[in-house]
Amino acid sequence: KAGVTQTPRYLIKTRGQQVTLSCSPISGHRSVSWYQQTPGQGLQFLFEYFSETQRNKGNFPGRFSGRQFSNSRSEMNVSTLELGDSALYLCASNQEGAWTGELFFGEGSRLTVL
Amino acid sequence: TQLLEQSPQFLSIQEGENLTVYCNSSSVFSSLQWYRQEPGEGPVLLVTVVTGGEVKKLKRLTFQFGDARKDSSLHITAAQPGDTGLYLCASPGGFGGNTGKLIFGQGTTLQVKP
């Protein structure tokens, strides 16, 4: 069974630009969550999508947005990039109904903002 | 919002030594997960503890959940270089159900030198 796939793995942008990251969950998983990981703040929850609807949202500004498609693939977008947006963005999927609540993470997209 | 405090933040030890990592909160955990993240990869679930006083073993790793479900520990016996990585504790950020929203501790970076 293929794992969670994130693209691109690495990207460099400049301040003010926007970026779109993509995530394909494990087949059969309908929940997709996004996290930002930085050395200073650690892993922070951005948002979660389930059946194309945003189910949970973290404390990030409106520049961070996401969506989910009917095939459960998800994208997140960051507009008007700031230097502080440089981070590893992780996507995770989980199996609805699984009692362990295990999240399966992708390898991440490392964003550098110059 | 529940905060998870992990200690220590960094640990550098020699192969064969034992170590313990702690995860504490002022609030009661509904459940507690431990993940390990290796460089260039996403976190991978090691264990989920649910019941106060619960002890789980995974080879040389022993996980304990406090009786009051406010603290947890991870003990590694005879650490090996392959144990090197970032250890994260996490707890569900919502109430009930199986969601993708987890609150993570800041993590413990473990380096095991041969």
Side-chain angles (χ1 to χ4, degrees), chain A residues 52-71:
Chain A
E52 302 179 64
T53 301
Q54 188 179 86
R55 182 157 70 174
N56 282 299
K57 189 178 187 303
N59 296 322
F60 279 83
R63 299 184 298 106
F64 292 81
S65 63
R67 60 177 175 169
Q68 187 179 33
F69 302 95
S70 59
N71 62 357

Side-chain angles (χ1 to χ4, degrees), chain B residues 3-109:
Chain B
L3 295 176
L4 275 64
E5 295 183 1
Q6 273 188 251
S7 62
Q9 287 190 30
F10 301 98
L11 206 49
S12 181
I13 61 173
Q14 293 294 135
E15 181 177 1
E17 293 183 7
N18 302 332
L19 66 118
T20 303
V21 177
Y22 300 93
C23 178
N24 298 286
S25 173
S26 57
S27 305
V28 173
F29 296 120
S30 57
S31 64
L32 197 287
Q33 298 180 346
W34 285 94
Y35 287 81
R36 181 172 73 193
Q37 183 178 19
E38 298 183 27
E41 299 182 8
V44 175
L45 180 70
L46 295 173
V47 76
T48 300
V49 287
V50 178
T51 305
E54 186 174 3
V55 177
K56 283 191 174 181
K57 292 192 175 183
L58 184 65
K59 297 183 181 178
R60 293 176 294 99
L61 279 60
T62 302
F63 303 87
Q64 288 191 306
F65 202 17
D67 291 339
R69 289 162 51 212
K70 288 187 175 183
D71 60 276
S72 180
S73 64
L74 157 60
H75 181 80
I76 301 179
T77 303
Q80 299 177 0
D83 296 326
T84 294
L86 176 66
Y87 289 81
L88 297 153
C89 64
S91 186
F95 292 96
N98 170 24
T99 76
K101 181 178 181 180
L102 292 179
I103 307 299
F104 281 87
Q106 284 289 85
T108 295
T109 300

